[in-house]
C-alpha cells in the first residue's frame, strides 16, 4: 500500500485551504497513493479568525467533510483530514475524519489530549473528546488515529495497537520552539519502535509550526520525510511483510508481561 503525508500551511481562509488540499490530493492520486494523511487544522487555522471559532465550525464542518469525501470518491483514494467540528457551545471539537476510497466517512476522532502545555491552552477554545481512541479500516489497513499532542501519551498509541491497528496516522500542528523539532522526531520514531508499527505523520507548516511530515517504518527507520516547506508530500510504500519481519526479530508485543487489569 502506498501512503502519503500531505504537508501544507493552513490559513484562516477556508476556500484557499480547500484549493491547496485539492492540489495535494490530485498530486497524490497521480502518484497512485492509496491513503493520504493531512495535518491538524487542514480545514482552518484557528489563530486569527475574524468570527468566533465555534460559529465557524458549526457553519463549515459539514461542508468540509463533504468536500473531502468528494475528493476521495473522485480519486479513489482514502483520505484522513482534520478540522473544527461544531458543538452546541462556543468551543468546537478538534476532529479527525477518515474517509474511504468510495467517499464514505468511516470514522471520526475528537482529540482527547488538548495542548495545554508550553504556556499554551488549547482548552480555552476547544472541547476535548470523551470517546476511546479510534481504529478504522482504510485502504486495506487498520489505521489508528492520533492528533498532535496525543503523540506524547504512549498509552493512547498502545491502545490503538491493542485494538488491532497496524498503522498509526498522526495529524499535527506541532508548534515550533526549543527542543520541539527534536521531540517530534523522537516521539514519532518511539511510537513506531515500541509498537513495531508504521507511522504516517502529517505536520502543518503554518507560520508557528514545524512541518516535518514523515513516514516511519516499524523499526524506526524514516522512509520518507519533508522539512519546513509549506507544501509537499512524503510518500512511501508500507507493507505487512515489513511489519512481520520486524516483529519476528523484535517481538515486544508478545514479550509484554504487565497485567493492565491489576488495580494498584
Amino acid at each position: 500500500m502506498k501512503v502519503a503525508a500531505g504537508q501544507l500551511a493552513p490559513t484562516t481562509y477556508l476556500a484557499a485551504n480547500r484549493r491547496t488540499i485539492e492540489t495535494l490530493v490530485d498530486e497524490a492520486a497521480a502518484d497512485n497513493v492509496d491513503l493520504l494523511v493531512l495535518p491538524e487544522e487542514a480545514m482552518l487555522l484557528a489563530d486569527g479568525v475574524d468570527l468566533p471559532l465555534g460559529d465557524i465550525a458549526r457553519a463549515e464542518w459539514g461542508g468540509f467533510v463533504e468536500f473531502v469525501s468528494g475528493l476521495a470518491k473522485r480519486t479513489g483514494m482514502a483520505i484522513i483530514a482534520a478540522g473544527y467540528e461544531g458543538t452546541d457551545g462556543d468551543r468546537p471539537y478538534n476532529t479527525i475524519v477518515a474517509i474511504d476510497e468510495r467517499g464514505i466517512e468511516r470514522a471520526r476522532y475528537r482529540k482527547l489530549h488538548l495542548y495545554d502545555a508550553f504556556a499554551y491552552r488549547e482548552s480555552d477554545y476547544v472541547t476535548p473528546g470523551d470517546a476511546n481512541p479510534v481504529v478504522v479500516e482504510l485502504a486495506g489497513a487498520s489505521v489508528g488515529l492520533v492528533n498532535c499532542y496525543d503523540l506524547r501519551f504512549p498509552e493512547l498509541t498502545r491502545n490503538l495497537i491493542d485494538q488491532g491497528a497496524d498503522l498509526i496516522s498522526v495529524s499535527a500542528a506541532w508548534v515550533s520552539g526549543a527542543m520541539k523539532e527534536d521531540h517530534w522526531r523522537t516521539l514519532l520514531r518511539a511510537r513506531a519502535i515500541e509498537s513495531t508499527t508504521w507511522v504516517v505523520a502529517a505536520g502543518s507548516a503554518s507560520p508557528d509550526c514545524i512541518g516535518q511530515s514523515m513516514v516511519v517504518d516499524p523499526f524506526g527507520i524514516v522512509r520518507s520525510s519533508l522539512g519546513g516547506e509549506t507544501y509537499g508530500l512524503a510518500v512511501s510504500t508500507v507493507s505487512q511483510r515489513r511489519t512481520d519481519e520486524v516483529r519476528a526479530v523484535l517481538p515486544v508485543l508478545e514479550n509484554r508481561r504487565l497485567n493492565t487489569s491489576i488495580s494498584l
Side-chain angles (χ1 to χ4, degrees):
M1 177 176 70
K2 185 176 278 191
V3 300
Q7 187 161 298
L8 67 149
T11 72
T12 56
Y13 298 100
L14 290 145
N17 297 338
R18 289 191 183 191
R19 287 193 295 270
T20 304
I21 289 169
E22 185 167 12
T23 303
L24 274 172
V25 167
D26 286 341
E27 289 190 11
D31 199 13
N32 297 312
V33 167
D34 300 294
L35 171 63
L36 172 66
V37 180
L38 295 172
E40 183 182 20
E41 291 197 310
M43 168 185 160
L44 176 74
L45 183 66
D47 186 24
V49 292
D50 293 332
L51 299 173
L53 184 61
D55 292 347
I56 297 173
R58 278 189 294 272
E60 298 293 344
W61 171 254
F64 178 71
V65 173
E66 184 177 349
F67 164 72
V68 176
S69 296
L71 293 177
K73 183 177 182 179
R74 176 170 64 79
T75 60
M77 180 173 59
I79 302 173
I80 294 172
Y84 291 103
E85 176 190 3
T87 65
D88 292 334
D90 296 330
R91 297 182 301 152
Y93 293 116
N94 185 337
T95 301
I96 293 173
V97 63
I99 309 294
D100 73 12
E101 63 276 10
R102 294 179 294 172
I104 298 172
E105 179 181 338
R106 289 300 181 185
R108 63 178 63 180
Y109 164 63
R110 294 165 175 166
K111 188 177 183 181
L112 283 173
H113 301 101
L114 300 186
Y115 182 54
D116 288 357
F118 293 98
Y120 190 92
R121 286 190 58 82
E122 186 180 9
S123 62
D124 285 347
Y125 63 93
V126 171
T127 297
D130 59 4
N132 288 329
V134 173
V135 175
V136 58
E137 295 294 321
L138 291 174
S142 295
V143 182
L145 305 180
V146 170
N147 192 331
C148 200
Y149 192 48
D150 286 335
L151 189 62
R152 292 185 181 272
F153 300 84
E155 64 273 19
L156 186 147
T157 301
R158 183 53 60 85
N159 179 283
L160 295 170
I161 296 299
D162 287 343
Q163 288 189 62
D166 44 36
L167 182 151
I168 301 299
S169 166
V170 182
S171 297
W174 202 262
V175 180
S176 59
M179 293 297 296
K180 297 295 292 299
E181 293 184 10
D182 182 68
H183 285 192
W184 169 251
R185 293 190 296 267
T186 300
L187 289 167
L188 288 174
R189 295 185 65 238
R191 296 296 85 87
I193 294 166
E194 69 198 8
S195 292
T196 52
T197 189
W198 290 91
V199 174
V200 182
S204 168
S206 59
D208 293 331
C209 297
I210 67 171
Q212 298 198 25
S213 302
M214 66 182 73
V215 180
V216 186
D217 85 357
F219 208 60
I221 298 171
V222 177
R223 295 293 184 175
S224 181
S225 65
L226 299 173
E229 54 264 46
T230 57
Y231 181 91
L233 291 166
V235 181
S236 182
T237 298
V238 306
S239 70
Q240 185 62 41
R241 178 180 178 182
R242 174 60 175 166
T243 303
D244 293 342
E245 289 173 350
V246 172
R247 290 181 178 178
V249 298
L250 185 61
V252 290
L253 299 179
E254 294 181 14
N255 293 160
R256 287 184 296 172
R257 298 190 63 196
L258 180 66
N259 184 349
T260 55
S261 66
I262 294 176
S263 298
L264 299 178

